[in-house]
Amino acid sequence: GLDATSFPQAMFSRPLIAATLAGWAFGRPGAGLLLGALVEIFSLVILPFGAARYPESGTAAAAAAAAYTATEHTGPPEPLLLLALVFALAWEQVAGASVIFTRRLNERLVPYGTSTRNFSARQVAQRHLLAMAIDFVRGGWAVVLGALIGVVLLRVFEGSLQASPGLSIGLILTATATMLGCALPLFGGFRQRWLSLGLGLLCGTLLLVLK
Amino acid sequence: MTVLPRRVLAATLLRSFAIQGSWNYRTLIGCGFAFALLPVLRTIYNGRPDEYQAAVQRHAAVFNSHPYLAPMALGAVSVLESSESPEVVERFKSAVRGSLGSLGDRLIWAGFRPLCVLLALSALMLGASWFFVTGGFLVLYNVGHVATRVWALRFGLRHGKRLGEQLRTVPVERVQHVMQSVGAFLLGTCLVLLLAGRPFTQETSLPWTLAGIVAAAIGMSFGARCRMPVVLAISAAALISLAVGVLA
């Protein structure tokens, strides 16, 4: 949570990393990375421009990965992966709302307008550090609470999910393929980048054949 | 003009990593900007507490910038603070905040970051270990991240008030073009590997592959607008599947 906006923005908060770390904490970094990669694909098009409000996918991915790797599945893992992905996509909305709440809280903390006159340099530094501490606690709670809820939900519903492994993978594949396609406008769109995209498709096909 | 010691500039650079720590809808990163500039202001106004206090209050006002390019404004303001009037410094900050925001958004958030992510995803889909994927991503991204911050601070210190006109000489369009081309290439590579089932499985059924191709084409046409419908659709599919299971 803290890394996403406050400090140091080194991308530990990206779903790819956060979920792997959560998986690693439960002894299954590979499984965490797999879920993190899926959430990451969904997050590619989320851009923190200006004062945009967006779901917080990093904390959600960490919570879902912790729940996913801590849940022992009785059947094939694919339906559970689908369930964990859906949980992450829901929890990122909750985590995103907590970010907005913290930013509203910061409005009361920081000097503004005529109140600026009452703030010394020490107070500016103290308020800034306090805001970071609040964000740290918020991020921690978003992960821990999400992981607890996720564990309960995944354990309760794991046996009830009627999707076969093939159907689960098919649903995940279709959804993530759409989201990867969605990211093309980031790079200029099809009309401007059709050649680069085509070369990439060719390269991917060659890699598949060679492997 | 006060010559700033290296340790003061290093402290400002370090504090710039936390510039968004008190982000809010009213002053945006204003408080963070003042926080990052404190070592510089303390040096410039050493022995002049009233002026120091006034400078801190001025810089805590509304400001915005991309966090990685904020050191550019910090560097330029460090130069201006000891040589220009407070009004000039204020006008300068108002003039650069829009361009520093949009430049960083285009180059970093919509360029470098998704590019690094796609590279990591490609490695994962080609069977790289979790350690290589995550470690490689963090190292590659942060080399660019830290280098950008250091370059931005130096650029700001070097050009001061002429920052705006000097920014126009930076080949932003060319850098963006290269990043977009590489990004589209990696996107194509990832798409093929994903449609082949990587990293979940070694093979997928033809109907799902075809569905994936159609879905990717839809995504390319509609862009980020597709996100919420896709989230709702996959959630609905999972919930229906759960309901069937619970009722069965």
Side-chain angles (χ1 to χ4, degrees), chain B residues 115-127:
Chain B
L115 199 146
C116 291
V117 166
L118 285 172
L119 206 58
L121 288 174
S122 307
L124 172 67
M125 290 174 185
L126 288 169

Side-chain angles (χ1 to χ4, degrees), chain A residues 4-12 14 16-17 20 24 29-30 33-34 37-53 55 57 78 81-83 85-86 89-90 92-93 99-100 102-104 106-108 110-113 116-122 124-125 127-129 131-132 135 157-158 160-163 166-167 169-188 190 192-193 196-205 207-208 211, chain B residues 14-15 17-28 31-35 38 52-53 56-58 60-61 64 67-68 105-106 109-111 113-115 117-118 120-121 124-131 133-135 137-138 141-142 145 149 176-177 179-201 204 208-209 211-213 215-228 230-231 234-235 237-239 241-246 248:
Chain A
T5 305
S6 297
F7 178 82
Q9 295 194 308
M11 298 301 129
F12 292 107
R14 288 307 295 180
L16 199 68
I17 307 298
T20 309
W24 179 70
L33 175 61
L34 190 61
L38 297 175
V39 182
E40 185 68 66
I41 291 172
F42 273 83
S43 309
L44 268 174
V45 292
I46 298 174
L47 300 171
F49 286 178
R53 296 174 185 201
S57 50
E78 290 86 354
L81 183 66
L82 173 64
L83 212 52
L85 173 63
V86 169
L89 294 174
E92 69 179 10
Q93 300 295 334
V99 172
I100 295 169
T102 314
R103 289 177 171 187
R104 288 273 179 232
N106 286 347
E107 288 177 9
R108 293 166 185 266
V110 300
Y112 174 69
T116 309
R117 284 196 287 273
N118 303 323
F119 282 83
S120 65
R122 180 186 290 253
V124 167
R127 296 290 177 111
H128 187 73
L129 294 173
M132 285 170 64
D135 193 32
F157 292 115
E158 188 249 332
S160 306
L161 196 66
Q162 288 295 296
L167 178 64
I169 289 296
L171 286 171
I172 292 172
L173 188 146
T174 312
T176 46
T178 317
M179 292 316 302
L180 265 185
C182 286
L184 187 62
L186 282 184
F187 304 116
F190 185 79
Q192 284 190 47
R193 299 285 170 257
S196 303
L197 179 73
L199 287 172
L201 292 170
L202 193 67
C203 177
T205 311
L207 285 169
L208 276 179
K211 275 185 88 80
Chain B
L14 191 65
R15 283 174 179 236
F17 283 82
I19 201 162
Q20 293 199 133
S22 55
W23 203 103
N24 64 89
Y25 296 108
R26 203 179 264 169
T27 62
L28 306 172
C31 184
F33 191 87
F35 171 78
L38 282 180
Y52 174 52
Q53 180 72 16
V56 171
Q57 287 165 359
R58 270 191 287 114
N64 199 27
Y68 296 7
D105 287 346
R106 276 192 295 156
W109 292 159
R113 188 169 75 178
L115 199 146
V117 166
L118 285 172
L121 288 174
L124 172 67
M125 290 174 185
L126 288 169
S129 71
W130 68 271
F131 189 78
V133 172
T134 52
F137 169 75
L138 286 174
Y141 184 85
N142 283 303
H145 168 200
R149 284 191 191 258
Q176 195 181 13
H177 178 82
M179 279 201 291
Q180 286 186 339
S181 298
V182 176
F185 175 84
L186 289 170
L187 190 74
T189 308
C190 278
L191 202 51
V192 171
L193 296 173
L194 182 76
L195 290 172
R198 307 295 191 281
F200 325 104
T201 175
T204 48
W208 283 119
T209 305
I213 293 170
I218 291 171
M220 286 177 197
S221 306
F222 292 96
R225 278 173 294 168
C226 274
R227 189 177 191 274
M228 192 44 82
V230 172
V231 169
I234 194 169
S235 303
L239 288 176
S241 180
L242 268 180
V244 170
V246 171

Side-chain angles (χ1 to χ4, degrees), chain A residues 67 70-72 80 83 149-160:
Chain A
T71 305
E72 287 182 22
L80 194 65
L83 212 52
I149 295 171
V151 165
V152 172
L153 288 177
L154 293 193
R155 287 192 179 171
V156 167
F157 292 115
E158 188 249 332
S160 306

